[in-house]
Amino acid sequence: MRQVYVLGAGAHSWGKFPEIDQVSLARTAIAEALNDADLTWRDVEGLVAASSRFEGGMGWGLHGNEILQNTSEAGIACINVGGACAAGGIAFTTAHALVASGQYDCVIAAGAERMPKGFIARPPGGMDAVNDGDYVRWKALGATNPAYWAMEARRRQHDHGTSAETFAKASVLMHANAVGNKRARYRKPCTVEEVLASPEVADPLHLLEICAVSDGAAAVVLGSEHFARRLGERALRVAGCAAATGSFGDPAVRIPAVSANPRAGVSHTSEVVNSVDRAMRMAGIEHKDIDLLEIADNSVWQVLHWPEMLGFVEAGEADHMLVCGEFGIDGALPINPSGGFLSFGEATTAQALLQICELAWQLRGEAEGHQVENAQIAMSAVLGLGANGASVILQK
Amino acid sequence: MTDIPVIEGLFADDNDDIALLGSHCTGCGSDYFPEAVGCSDPDCTDGELRRCELPTTGSLYSYSWQNYQPPPLFALEQWKPYAIGTVELQPGLRVLARLDIPREELRIGLPVELGRDVMAKGGDGTISGYVFRQEGTS
Ligand SMILES: [Zn+2]
C-alpha cells in the first residue's frame, strides 16, 4: 500500500443558505481545497462523493456526477458512497484506497448538504414495511434523533451520576471553542445557566445541548508522494483511516432501530469503536500519541461518552476531565477544538469531511483562533445512521 | 367500528391480549423486534427465523420526556409531550416504546407491562398502538 497524503482542505461556511444549491456549495468547498493544494481540476483523477442510504434503500446527499457536469467533464472516475452521517469519512477512506492502491495519484473526497428545517425526518418513497426500523420509529413511536441521545444521557446519569450542570458544561465548552473559529455557525459563548434555561427538547437534553441542522460543504484533496513532494511541508500524512460497521450484540439502540440485542463484552456504538481501533492499528499509534480529537457531538452526551468508549479515559472519568478543563483547547485531550457539531450544526453527509479539514488546519497551525499548540497527530471519529462508523488519523 | 394496528405485523392484539411480534432464530436463539428478514449474529449461519410473540413485561432501562412534536408521519392524533423509553424484556433484548406513565413516576428499573392505546380515531375505526405502563396499573 502506498503512503497517501492530504494535499488540500476546503469548506463552505456552515449555516442556512436557502438561496444556494447543493452543487454550488460543493463547488465552493472543492475550489478552496484545490487552491489549497495548488492543483486544478485537470490534476484530479477521481471524485468520491458522500451521500446517504436509509432503511428501505432511500436516501439523500451529494451526487458527485452533478458536480462534474457543472465543473469539469474530463472522464475521471466518480464514485458515490453511502454512509449517512459517516458518509464523509467513508468517502475519504474510499479516496484513500484509490490512491494507496496505485490506481490514481490525485482524488477528491467531497460532501455537501442542504438540510430541511427541524428534526431530520424520514425520506419519502419507502415500502413502509414492519421490518423497516425507520418507519416503525416514526410512525408508531415518534422517536426523534434527540430522543435516542436523551435516553443515553439519562442512562449515563444513572450509571455515572452525571449532573445536569456537567452536561451543560460540555455545551459551554463546545460553544467557547467556536468563538474563535470563523467557520462555525454559532460563535456566541454561553453559560451553564443559559444552557439549562434553553427549552427542554427531550429530557434531560435542552436545545443548547443538541446539534442543529445546517447547510454546508467540505472537501479534501488526497494524493500520492508525487504530489506531496511538490507541496512540501503542507502535505499531511494519512497515518490511518478506516470505515466500519457495527458488531452484533452492541447494547446501543441505534438510530433508526427500535430495539437492541446486547451481548456481553460488545462495545457501545461499536461501529465507531471498530473504525477507531482499525485506524489506530493502521497508524501504529497509541491513545497517548493523539493530540486532539474531533468527534460527532450530536449532543452533549457524546462529548462525555465517546472519549470513554474510544479508550481515551476510563468509564465514568469524562465528567471529571471535562470539569477540570482537560477537554479544552489547552487541556490534556482537546475535544472538538473546532466547536464541534454543537457549534456548526450538522450538515449530515458533509460533516465528517469538515472534521478532516479541521485536523488538517490544526496540524498545519492554521486553526486561527482555536489552535491546539504544537499538534502533531490528530484523529476524527464519526457515526452514521445504519451502523456506519469512520475514523481518520492525520500526522504532520 | 374496526380497530387496526398502527403498523400491520408490529403486534398481535386479540381480545385485549397484546404481544409484540418479533422473530426467534432457531440457530442462536436470538429474538428480534420487529420481525427481521435474517439473523445478524455473524456466528449463526444456519438459523431460521420464526415469527414469535415477545415477553409482555420487563423493566425500564432508560427513558426521556419528549417535548417537541415529531414529524407528521407520527400516527398519534392528539399530540402532547410524552414519555419514551427503552424496556428490557429479557436479557439480550431491549425495545423502544412509548410509555403511558406519569412523568414523576419515571425511573430506571421500573417494572412495566405492555398495553395498547388508541393513537387516532378515523371515520370507520381506530388506530391502535403499543405502550408500556407501570406493572399492575392496567
Ligand atoms: Zn441466529
PDB file of all heavy atoms in Angstrom, chain A residues 130-131 139-142 144 147 151 155 200-201 203 258-261 263, chain B residues 30-31 33-35 61-62 64-67 74-75 82 92 94 96 98 103:
ATOM      1  N   VAL A 130     -43.102  -3.479   8.141  1.00  0.00           N
ATOM      2  CA  VAL A 130     -42.908  -3.612   9.579  1.00  0.00           C
ATOM      3  C   VAL A 130     -41.439  -3.855   9.930  1.00  0.00           C
ATOM      4  O   VAL A 130     -40.982  -3.502  11.014  1.00  0.00           O
ATOM      5  CB  VAL A 130     -43.819  -4.720  10.161  1.00  0.00           C
ATOM      6  CG1 VAL A 130     -43.356  -6.106   9.687  1.00  0.00           C
ATOM      7  CG2 VAL A 130     -43.842  -4.662  11.682  1.00  0.00           C
ATOM      8  N   ASN A 131     -40.666  -4.435   9.015  1.00  0.00           N
ATOM      9  CA  ASN A 131     -39.259  -4.710   9.330  1.00  0.00           C
ATOM     10  C   ASN A 131     -38.344  -3.532   9.006  1.00  0.00           C
ATOM     11  O   ASN A 131     -37.127  -3.647   9.058  1.00  0.00           O
ATOM     12  CB  ASN A 131     -38.778  -5.983   8.629  1.00  0.00           C
ATOM     13  CG  ASN A 131     -38.977  -5.931   7.132  1.00  0.00           C
ATOM     14  OD1 ASN A 131     -39.053  -4.852   6.544  1.00  0.00           O
ATOM     15  ND2 ASN A 131     -39.081  -7.084   6.509  1.00  0.00           N
ATOM     16  N   LYS A 139     -43.528   6.224  12.714  1.00  0.00           N
ATOM     17  CA  LYS A 139     -44.979   6.023  12.653  1.00  0.00           C
ATOM     18  C   LYS A 139     -45.576   5.657  14.016  1.00  0.00           C
ATOM     19  O   LYS A 139     -46.561   6.243  14.438  1.00  0.00           O
ATOM     20  CB  LYS A 139     -45.269   4.903  11.637  1.00  0.00           C
ATOM     21  CG  LYS A 139     -46.742   4.593  11.426  1.00  0.00           C
ATOM     22  CD  LYS A 139     -47.371   5.573  10.497  1.00  0.00           C
ATOM     23  CE  LYS A 139     -48.840   5.224  10.233  1.00  0.00           C
ATOM     24  NZ  LYS A 139     -49.445   6.227   9.336  1.00  0.00           N
ATOM     25  N   ALA A 140     -44.943   4.698  14.696  1.00  0.00           N
ATOM     26  CA  ALA A 140     -45.555   4.165  15.914  1.00  0.00           C
ATOM     27  C   ALA A 140     -45.055   4.848  17.184  1.00  0.00           C
ATOM     28  O   ALA A 140     -45.758   4.890  18.185  1.00  0.00           O
ATOM     29  CB  ALA A 140     -45.295   2.661  16.012  1.00  0.00           C
ATOM     30  N   LEU A 141     -43.796   5.361  17.145  1.00  0.00           N
ATOM     31  CA  LEU A 141     -43.199   5.884  18.380  1.00  0.00           C
ATOM     32  C   LEU A 141     -42.920   7.380  18.352  1.00  0.00           C
ATOM     33  O   LEU A 141     -42.768   8.000  19.408  1.00  0.00           O
ATOM     34  CB  LEU A 141     -41.882   5.141  18.675  1.00  0.00           C
ATOM     35  CG  LEU A 141     -41.970   3.613  18.693  1.00  0.00           C
ATOM     36  CD1 LEU A 141     -40.603   3.007  18.897  1.00  0.00           C
ATOM     37  CD2 LEU A 141     -42.913   3.173  19.796  1.00  0.00           C
ATOM     38  N   GLY A 142     -42.815   7.970  17.161  1.00  0.00           N
ATOM     39  CA  GLY A 142     -42.446   9.384  17.083  1.00  0.00           C
ATOM     40  C   GLY A 142     -41.077   9.627  17.689  1.00  0.00           C
ATOM     41  O   GLY A 142     -40.822  10.681  18.276  1.00  0.00           O
ATOM     42  N   THR A 144     -37.705  10.811  17.772  1.00  0.00           N
ATOM     43  CA  THR A 144     -36.782  11.704  17.069  1.00  0.00           C
ATOM     44  C   THR A 144     -35.344  11.338  17.443  1.00  0.00           C
ATOM     45  O   THR A 144     -35.109  10.667  18.449  1.00  0.00           O
ATOM     46  CB  THR A 144     -37.030  13.163  17.482  1.00  0.00           C
ATOM     47  OG1 THR A 144     -36.795  13.271  18.899  1.00  0.00           O
ATOM     48  CG2 THR A 144     -38.459  13.588  17.188  1.00  0.00           C
ATOM     49  N   ALA A 147     -34.337  12.120  20.982  1.00  0.00           N
ATOM     50  CA  ALA A 147     -34.894  11.206  21.990  1.00  0.00           C
ATOM     51  C   ALA A 147     -33.934  10.033  22.229  1.00  0.00           C
ATOM     52  O   ALA A 147     -33.766   9.579  23.368  1.00  0.00           O
ATOM     53  CB  ALA A 147     -36.265  10.694  21.547  1.00  0.00           C
ATOM     54  N   MET A 151     -32.099   9.334  25.890  1.00  0.00           N
ATOM     55  CA  MET A 151     -32.161   8.091  26.676  1.00  0.00           C
ATOM     56  C   MET A 151     -30.759   7.626  27.071  1.00  0.00           C
ATOM     57  O   MET A 151     -30.568   7.075  28.150  1.00  0.00           O
ATOM     58  CB  MET A 151     -32.921   7.018  25.893  1.00  0.00           C
ATOM     59  CG  MET A 151     -34.427   7.282  25.903  1.00  0.00           C
ATOM     60  SD  MET A 151     -35.390   5.988  25.103  1.00  0.00           S
ATOM     61  CE  MET A 151     -35.252   6.500  23.394  1.00  0.00           C
ATOM     62  N   ARG A 155     -29.442   7.424  30.957  1.00  0.00           N
ATOM     63  CA  ARG A 155     -28.799   6.210  31.472  1.00  0.00           C
ATOM     64  C   ARG A 155     -27.415   6.552  32.062  1.00  0.00           C
ATOM     65  O   ARG A 155     -27.007   5.981  33.058  1.00  0.00           O
ATOM     66  CB  ARG A 155     -28.673   5.186  30.340  1.00  0.00           C
ATOM     67  CG  ARG A 155     -28.120   3.847  30.771  1.00  0.00           C
ATOM     68  CD  ARG A 155     -29.114   3.076  31.642  1.00  0.00           C
ATOM     69  NE  ARG A 155     -28.427   2.078  32.438  1.00  0.00           N
ATOM     70  CZ  ARG A 155     -29.033   1.129  33.165  1.00  0.00           C
ATOM     71  NH1 ARG A 155     -30.347   1.063  33.211  1.00  0.00           N
ATOM     72  NH2 ARG A 155     -28.340   0.266  33.856  1.00  0.00           N
ATOM     73  N   GLU A 200     -36.369  22.611  27.018  1.00  0.00           N
ATOM     74  CA  GLU A 200     -36.109  21.181  27.158  1.00  0.00           C
ATOM     75  C   GLU A 200     -36.645  20.483  25.898  1.00  0.00           C
ATOM     76  O   GLU A 200     -37.824  20.542  25.609  1.00  0.00           O
ATOM     77  CB  GLU A 200     -36.846  20.677  28.398  1.00  0.00           C
ATOM     78  CG  GLU A 200     -36.575  19.229  28.725  1.00  0.00           C
ATOM     79  CD  GLU A 200     -37.414  18.764  29.907  1.00  0.00           C
ATOM     80  OE1 GLU A 200     -38.608  18.459  29.701  1.00  0.00           O
ATOM     81  OE2 GLU A 200     -36.882  18.729  31.019  1.00  0.00           O
ATOM     82  N   VAL A 201     -35.751  19.844  25.139  1.00  0.00           N
ATOM     83  CA  VAL A 201     -36.176  19.158  23.911  1.00  0.00           C
ATOM     84  C   VAL A 201     -36.628  17.744  24.251  1.00  0.00           C
ATOM     85  O   VAL A 201     -37.754  17.346  23.996  1.00  0.00           O
ATOM     86  CB  VAL A 201     -35.038  19.134  22.870  1.00  0.00           C
ATOM     87  CG1 VAL A 201     -35.450  18.315  21.643  1.00  0.00           C
ATOM     88  CG2 VAL A 201     -34.681  20.558  22.452  1.00  0.00           C
ATOM     89  N   ASP A 203     -35.920  15.432  27.615  1.00  0.00           N
ATOM     90  CA  ASP A 203     -35.317  15.368  28.951  1.00  0.00           C
ATOM     91  C   ASP A 203     -34.308  14.219  29.021  1.00  0.00           C
ATOM     92  O   ASP A 203     -34.648  13.110  28.642  1.00  0.00           O
ATOM     93  CB  ASP A 203     -36.464  15.172  29.957  1.00  0.00           C
ATOM     94  CG  ASP A 203     -35.958  14.917  31.362  1.00  0.00           C
ATOM     95  OD1 ASP A 203     -35.037  15.619  31.777  1.00  0.00           O
ATOM     96  OD2 ASP A 203     -36.490  14.008  32.027  1.00  0.00           O
ATOM     97  N   VAL A 258     -35.434   0.121  16.589  1.00  0.00           N
ATOM     98  CA  VAL A 258     -36.323   0.252  17.746  1.00  0.00           C
ATOM     99  C   VAL A 258     -36.047  -0.870  18.744  1.00  0.00           C
ATOM    100  O   VAL A 258     -36.887  -1.176  19.586  1.00  0.00           O
ATOM    101  CB  VAL A 258     -37.818   0.275  17.328  1.00  0.00           C
ATOM    102  CG1 VAL A 258     -38.111   1.539  16.543  1.00  0.00           C
ATOM    103  CG2 VAL A 258     -38.191  -0.956  16.519  1.00  0.00           C
ATOM    104  N   SER A 259     -34.886  -1.475  18.638  1.00  0.00           N
ATOM    105  CA  SER A 259     -34.501  -2.492  19.617  1.00  0.00           C
ATOM    106  C   SER A 259     -32.996  -2.660  19.601  1.00  0.00           C
ATOM    107  O   SER A 259     -32.310  -2.139  18.728  1.00  0.00           O
ATOM    108  CB  SER A 259     -35.169  -3.831  19.284  1.00  0.00           C
ATOM    109  OG  SER A 259     -34.631  -4.349  18.086  1.00  0.00           O
ATOM    110  N   ALA A 260     -32.504  -3.386  20.609  1.00  0.00           N
ATOM    111  CA  ALA A 260     -31.088  -3.755  20.657  1.00  0.00           C
ATOM    112  C   ALA A 260     -30.999  -5.172  21.183  1.00  0.00           C
ATOM    113  O   ALA A 260     -31.873  -5.624  21.928  1.00  0.00           O
ATOM    114  CB  ALA A 260     -30.318  -2.802  21.567  1.00  0.00           C
ATOM    115  N   ASN A 261     -29.945  -5.876  20.771  1.00  0.00           N
ATOM    116  CA  ASN A 261     -29.694  -7.232  21.247  1.00  0.00           C
ATOM    117  C   ASN A 261     -28.348  -7.269  21.975  1.00  0.00           C
ATOM    118  O   ASN A 261     -27.377  -7.802  21.458  1.00  0.00           O
ATOM    119  CB  ASN A 261     -29.675  -8.222  20.066  1.00  0.00           C
ATOM    120  CG  ASN A 261     -31.041  -8.392  19.440  1.00  0.00           C
ATOM    121  OD1 ASN A 261     -31.409  -7.676  18.516  1.00  0.00           O
ATOM    122  ND2 ASN A 261     -31.808  -9.319  19.961  1.00  0.00           N
ATOM    123  N   ARG A 263     -25.136  -8.090  24.013  1.00  0.00           N
ATOM    124  CA  ARG A 263     -24.423  -9.305  24.403  1.00  0.00           C
ATOM    125  C   ARG A 263     -23.191  -8.888  25.190  1.00  0.00           C
ATOM    126  O   ARG A 263     -22.611  -7.821  24.925  1.00  0.00           O
ATOM    127  CB  ARG A 263     -23.976 -10.104  23.163  1.00  0.00           C
ATOM    128  CG  ARG A 263     -25.106 -10.606  22.274  1.00  0.00           C
ATOM    129  CD  ARG A 263     -25.907 -11.725  22.959  1.00  0.00           C
ATOM    130  NE  ARG A 263     -26.937 -12.273  22.078  1.00  0.00           N
ATOM    131  CZ  ARG A 263     -28.199 -11.841  22.004  1.00  0.00           C
ATOM    132  NH1 ARG A 263     -28.586 -10.809  22.752  1.00  0.00           N
ATOM    133  NH2 ARG A 263     -29.068 -12.409  21.189  1.00  0.00           N
TER     134      ARG A 263
ATOM    135  N   SER B  30     -31.510 -15.985  19.297  1.00  0.00           N
ATOM    136  CA  SER B  30     -31.755 -14.539  19.406  1.00  0.00           C
ATOM    137  C   SER B  30     -33.204 -14.206  19.073  1.00  0.00           C
ATOM    138  O   SER B  30     -33.796 -14.818  18.191  1.00  0.00           O
ATOM    139  CB  SER B  30     -30.849 -13.773  18.435  1.00  0.00           C
ATOM    140  OG  SER B  30     -29.503 -13.931  18.775  1.00  0.00           O
ATOM    141  N   ASP B  31     -33.730 -13.209  19.809  1.00  0.00           N
ATOM    142  CA  ASP B  31     -35.060 -12.692  19.497  1.00  0.00           C
ATOM    143  C   ASP B  31     -34.926 -11.280  18.950  1.00  0.00           C
ATOM    144  O   ASP B  31     -34.178 -10.462  19.510  1.00  0.00           O
ATOM    145  CB  ASP B  31     -35.929 -12.662  20.754  1.00  0.00           C
ATOM    146  CG  ASP B  31     -36.319 -14.063  21.196  1.00  0.00           C
ATOM    147  OD1 ASP B  31     -36.463 -14.940  20.312  1.00  0.00           O
ATOM    148  OD2 ASP B  31     -36.464 -14.283  22.419  1.00  0.00           O
ATOM    149  N   PHE B  33     -36.836  -7.623  17.377  1.00  0.00           N
ATOM    150  CA  PHE B  33     -38.044  -6.808  17.260  1.00  0.00           C
ATOM    151  C   PHE B  33     -37.728  -5.603  16.390  1.00  0.00           C
ATOM    152  O   PHE B  33     -36.718  -4.952  16.629  1.00  0.00           O
ATOM    153  CB  PHE B  33     -38.540  -6.325  18.629  1.00  0.00           C
ATOM    154  CG  PHE B  33     -39.701  -5.364  18.528  1.00  0.00           C
ATOM    155  CD1 PHE B  33     -40.957  -5.821  18.157  1.00  0.00           C
ATOM    156  CD2 PHE B  33     -39.515  -3.996  18.747  1.00  0.00           C
ATOM    157  CE1 PHE B  33     -42.026  -4.926  18.032  1.00  0.00           C
ATOM    158  CE2 PHE B  33     -40.585  -3.115  18.620  1.00  0.00           C
ATOM    159  CZ  PHE B  33     -41.826  -3.578  18.268  1.00  0.00           C
ATOM    160  N   PRO B  34     -38.603  -5.270  15.420  1.00  0.00           N
ATOM    161  CA  PRO B  34     -39.749  -6.079  14.974  1.00  0.00           C
ATOM    162  C   PRO B  34     -39.246  -7.301  14.204  1.00  0.00           C
ATOM    163  O   PRO B  34     -38.069  -7.608  14.250  1.00  0.00           O
ATOM    164  CB  PRO B  34     -40.498  -5.109  14.055  1.00  0.00           C
ATOM    165  CG  PRO B  34     -39.445  -4.169  13.554  1.00  0.00           C
ATOM    166  CD  PRO B  34     -38.420  -4.051  14.644  1.00  0.00           C
ATOM    167  N   GLU B  35     -40.160  -7.946  13.497  1.00  0.00           N
ATOM    168  CA  GLU B  35     -39.759  -9.116  12.708  1.00  0.00           C
ATOM    169  C   GLU B  35     -38.613  -8.755  11.782  1.00  0.00           C
ATOM    170  O   GLU B  35     -38.610  -7.690  11.165  1.00  0.00           O
ATOM    171  CB  GLU B  35     -40.957  -9.598  11.864  1.00  0.00           C
ATOM    172  CG  GLU B  35     -41.821 -10.588  12.591  1.00  0.00           C
ATOM    173  CD  GLU B  35     -42.722 -11.348  11.628  1.00  0.00           C
ATOM    174  OE1 GLU B  35     -42.268 -12.365  11.080  1.00  0.00           O
ATOM    175  OE2 GLU B  35     -43.865 -10.903  11.428  1.00  0.00           O
ATOM    176  N   TYR B  61     -35.187   0.459  31.117  1.00  0.00           N
ATOM    177  CA  TYR B  61     -33.722   0.582  31.060  1.00  0.00           C
ATOM    178  C   TYR B  61     -33.311   2.048  31.000  1.00  0.00           C
ATOM    179  O   TYR B  61     -32.340   2.472  31.602  1.00  0.00           O
ATOM    180  CB  TYR B  61     -33.185  -0.172  29.841  1.00  0.00           C
ATOM    181  CG  TYR B  61     -31.691  -0.091  29.723  1.00  0.00           C
ATOM    182  CD1 TYR B  61     -30.868  -0.894  30.506  1.00  0.00           C
ATOM    183  CD2 TYR B  61     -31.093   0.816  28.842  1.00  0.00           C
ATOM    184  CE1 TYR B  61     -29.486  -0.803  30.425  1.00  0.00           C
ATOM    185  CE2 TYR B  61     -29.708   0.914  28.753  1.00  0.00           C
ATOM    186  CZ  TYR B  61     -28.918   0.101  29.552  1.00  0.00           C
ATOM    187  OH  TYR B  61     -27.555   0.204  29.473  1.00  0.00           O
ATOM    188  N   SER B  62     -34.059   2.833  30.261  1.00  0.00           N
ATOM    189  CA  SER B  62     -33.868   4.288  30.245  1.00  0.00           C
ATOM    190  C   SER B  62     -35.109   4.950  29.666  1.00  0.00           C
ATOM    191  O   SER B  62     -36.001   4.253  29.170  1.00  0.00           O
ATOM    192  CB  SER B  62     -32.636   4.685  29.437  1.00  0.00           C
ATOM    193  OG  SER B  62     -32.331   6.043  29.696  1.00  0.00           O
ATOM    194  N   SER B  64     -36.977   9.066  28.327  1.00  0.00           N
ATOM    195  CA  SER B  64     -36.895  10.517  28.120  1.00  0.00           C
ATOM    196  C   SER B  64     -38.310  11.067  28.061  1.00  0.00           C
ATOM    197  O   SER B  64     -39.276  10.320  27.923  1.00  0.00           O
ATOM    198  CB  SER B  64     -36.151  10.822  26.816  1.00  0.00           C
ATOM    199  OG  SER B  64     -36.171  12.214  26.557  1.00  0.00           O
ATOM    200  N   TRP B  65     -38.396  12.361  28.186  1.00  0.00           N
ATOM    201  CA  TRP B  65     -39.683  13.045  28.067  1.00  0.00           C
ATOM    202  C   TRP B  65     -39.585  13.904  26.820  1.00  0.00           C
ATOM    203  O   TRP B  65     -38.759  14.811  26.756  1.00  0.00           O
ATOM    204  CB  TRP B  65     -39.946  13.892  29.302  1.00  0.00           C
ATOM    205  CG  TRP B  65     -41.313  14.491  29.335  1.00  0.00           C
ATOM    206  CD1 TRP B  65     -41.651  15.766  28.984  1.00  0.00           C
ATOM    207  CD2 TRP B  65     -42.517  13.838  29.733  1.00  0.00           C
ATOM    208  NE1 TRP B  65     -42.997  15.944  29.139  1.00  0.00           N
ATOM    209  CE2 TRP B  65     -43.559  14.782  29.591  1.00  0.00           C
ATOM    210  CE3 TRP B  65     -42.839  12.553  30.174  1.00  0.00           C
ATOM    211  CZ2 TRP B  65     -44.886  14.472  29.881  1.00  0.00           C
ATOM    212  CZ3 TRP B  65     -44.161  12.257  30.476  1.00  0.00           C
ATOM    213  CH2 TRP B  65     -45.174  13.204  30.333  1.00  0.00           C
ATOM    214  N   GLN B  66     -40.359  13.571  25.789  1.00  0.00           N
ATOM    215  CA  GLN B  66     -40.239  14.232  24.501  1.00  0.00           C
ATOM    216  C   GLN B  66     -41.183  15.433  24.434  1.00  0.00           C
ATOM    217  O   GLN B  66     -42.397  15.278  24.427  1.00  0.00           O
ATOM    218  CB  GLN B  66     -40.521  13.231  23.380  1.00  0.00           C
ATOM    219  CG  GLN B  66     -40.198  13.767  22.016  1.00  0.00           C
ATOM    220  CD  GLN B  66     -39.812  12.671  21.027  1.00  0.00           C
ATOM    221  OE1 GLN B  66     -38.706  12.159  21.033  1.00  0.00           O
ATOM    222  NE2 GLN B  66     -40.741  12.324  20.155  1.00  0.00           N
ATOM    223  N   ASN B  67     -40.587  16.622  24.348  1.00  0.00           N
ATOM    224  CA  ASN B  67     -41.361  17.862  24.443  1.00  0.00           C
ATOM    225  C   ASN B  67     -41.754  18.479  23.108  1.00  0.00           C
ATOM    226  O   ASN B  67     -42.550  19.402  23.078  1.00  0.00           O
ATOM    227  CB  ASN B  67     -40.556  18.905  25.222  1.00  0.00           C
ATOM    228  CG  ASN B  67     -40.691  18.707  26.707  1.00  0.00           C
ATOM    229  OD1 ASN B  67     -41.785  18.775  27.242  1.00  0.00           O
ATOM    230  ND2 ASN B  67     -39.571  18.428  27.364  1.00  0.00           N
ATOM    231  N   PHE B  74     -45.872  10.547  12.353  1.00  0.00           N
ATOM    232  CA  PHE B  74     -46.272  10.001  13.661  1.00  0.00           C
ATOM    233  C   PHE B  74     -47.785   9.881  13.714  1.00  0.00           C
ATOM    234  O   PHE B  74     -48.505  10.839  13.464  1.00  0.00           O
ATOM    235  CB  PHE B  74     -45.765  10.940  14.756  1.00  0.00           C
ATOM    236  CG  PHE B  74     -45.900  10.402  16.155  1.00  0.00           C
ATOM    237  CD1 PHE B  74     -45.887   9.037  16.416  1.00  0.00           C
ATOM    238  CD2 PHE B  74     -45.997  11.280  17.224  1.00  0.00           C
ATOM    239  CE1 PHE B  74     -45.985   8.555  17.719  1.00  0.00           C
ATOM    240  CE2 PHE B  74     -46.088  10.812  18.526  1.00  0.00           C
ATOM    241  CZ  PHE B  74     -46.090   9.440  18.775  1.00  0.00           C
ATOM    242  N   ALA B  75     -48.268   8.684  14.062  1.00  0.00           N
ATOM    243  CA  ALA B  75     -49.704   8.400  13.978  1.00  0.00           C
ATOM    244  C   ALA B  75     -50.523   8.960  15.139  1.00  0.00           C
ATOM    245  O   ALA B  75     -51.747   8.934  15.098  1.00  0.00           O
ATOM    246  CB  ALA B  75     -49.922   6.886  13.877  1.00  0.00           C
ATOM    247  N   TYR B  82     -44.768  13.573  25.800  1.00  0.00           N
ATOM    248  CA  TYR B  82     -44.971  12.208  26.282  1.00  0.00           C
ATOM    249  C   TYR B  82     -43.642  11.538  26.588  1.00  0.00           C
ATOM    250  O   TYR B  82     -42.580  12.003  26.181  1.00  0.00           O
ATOM    251  CB  TYR B  82     -45.758  11.382  25.251  1.00  0.00           C
ATOM    252  CG  TYR B  82     -45.015  11.142  23.947  1.00  0.00           C
ATOM    253  CD1 TYR B  82     -44.460   9.891  23.642  1.00  0.00           C
ATOM    254  CD2 TYR B  82     -44.850  12.166  23.019  1.00  0.00           C
ATOM    255  CE1 TYR B  82     -43.782   9.680  22.453  1.00  0.00           C
ATOM    256  CE2 TYR B  82     -44.173  11.952  21.827  1.00  0.00           C
ATOM    257  CZ  TYR B  82     -43.638  10.714  21.548  1.00  0.00           C
ATOM    258  OH  TYR B  82     -42.958  10.511  20.372  1.00  0.00           O
ATOM    259  N   GLY B  92     -30.640  -9.603  26.810  1.00  0.00           N
ATOM    260  CA  GLY B  92     -30.340  -9.687  25.383  1.00  0.00           C
ATOM    261  C   GLY B  92     -31.396  -9.101  24.474  1.00  0.00           C
ATOM    262  O   GLY B  92     -31.278  -9.191  23.253  1.00  0.00           O
ATOM    263  N   ARG B  94     -33.757  -5.464  24.227  1.00  0.00           N
ATOM    264  CA  ARG B  94     -34.359  -4.208  24.672  1.00  0.00           C
ATOM    265  C   ARG B  94     -35.150  -3.606  23.523  1.00  0.00           C
ATOM    266  O   ARG B  94     -34.685  -3.639  22.387  1.00  0.00           O
ATOM    267  CB  ARG B  94     -33.277  -3.212  25.107  1.00  0.00           C
ATOM    268  CG  ARG B  94     -32.526  -3.661  26.340  1.00  0.00           C
ATOM    269  CD  ARG B  94     -31.449  -2.669  26.740  1.00  0.00           C
ATOM    270  NE  ARG B  94     -30.544  -3.295  27.685  1.00  0.00           N
ATOM    271  CZ  ARG B  94     -29.238  -3.064  27.748  1.00  0.00           C
ATOM    272  NH1 ARG B  94     -28.677  -2.189  26.931  1.00  0.00           N
ATOM    273  NH2 ARG B  94     -28.487  -3.690  28.621  1.00  0.00           N
ATOM    274  N   LEU B  96     -37.712  -0.261  22.127  1.00  0.00           N
ATOM    275  CA  LEU B  96     -38.119   1.128  22.284  1.00  0.00           C
ATOM    276  C   LEU B  96     -39.646   1.181  22.328  1.00  0.00           C
ATOM    277  O   LEU B  96     -40.304   0.428  21.602  1.00  0.00           O
ATOM    278  CB  LEU B  96     -37.606   1.899  21.067  1.00  0.00           C
ATOM    279  CG  LEU B  96     -37.132   3.326  21.222  1.00  0.00           C
ATOM    280  CD1 LEU B  96     -35.995   3.381  22.227  1.00  0.00           C
ATOM    281  CD2 LEU B  96     -36.631   3.840  19.867  1.00  0.00           C
ATOM    282  N   ARG B  98     -43.327   3.847  23.447  1.00  0.00           N
ATOM    283  CA  ARG B  98     -43.949   4.969  24.143  1.00  0.00           C
ATOM    284  C   ARG B  98     -44.341   4.474  25.523  1.00  0.00           C
ATOM    285  O   ARG B  98     -44.677   3.292  25.695  1.00  0.00           O
ATOM    286  CB  ARG B  98     -45.187   5.454  23.382  1.00  0.00           C
ATOM    287  CG  ARG B  98     -44.852   6.178  22.075  1.00  0.00           C
ATOM    288  CD  ARG B  98     -46.085   6.698  21.361  1.00  0.00           C
ATOM    289  NE  ARG B  98     -46.961   5.601  20.963  1.00  0.00           N
ATOM    290  CZ  ARG B  98     -48.203   5.435  21.402  1.00  0.00           C
ATOM    291  NH1 ARG B  98     -48.763   6.324  22.223  1.00  0.00           N
ATOM    292  NH2 ARG B  98     -48.926   4.399  21.010  1.00  0.00           N
ATOM    293  N   ARG B 103     -44.993  11.507  34.372  1.00  0.00           N
ATOM    294  CA  ARG B 103     -43.584  11.913  34.357  1.00  0.00           C
ATOM    295  C   ARG B 103     -42.901  11.698  35.711  1.00  0.00           C
ATOM    296  O   ARG B 103     -41.761  11.252  35.779  1.00  0.00           O
ATOM    297  CB  ARG B 103     -43.484  13.390  33.934  1.00  0.00           C
ATOM    298  CG  ARG B 103     -42.056  13.816  33.718  1.00  0.00           C
ATOM    299  CD  ARG B 103     -41.938  15.160  33.047  1.00  0.00           C
ATOM    300  NE  ARG B 103     -40.526  15.448  32.822  1.00  0.00           N
ATOM    301  CZ  ARG B 103     -40.072  16.526  32.207  1.00  0.00           C
ATOM    302  NH1 ARG B 103     -40.915  17.405  31.725  1.00  0.00           N
ATOM    303  NH2 ARG B 103     -38.783  16.701  32.050  1.00  0.00           N
TER     304      ARG B 103
END
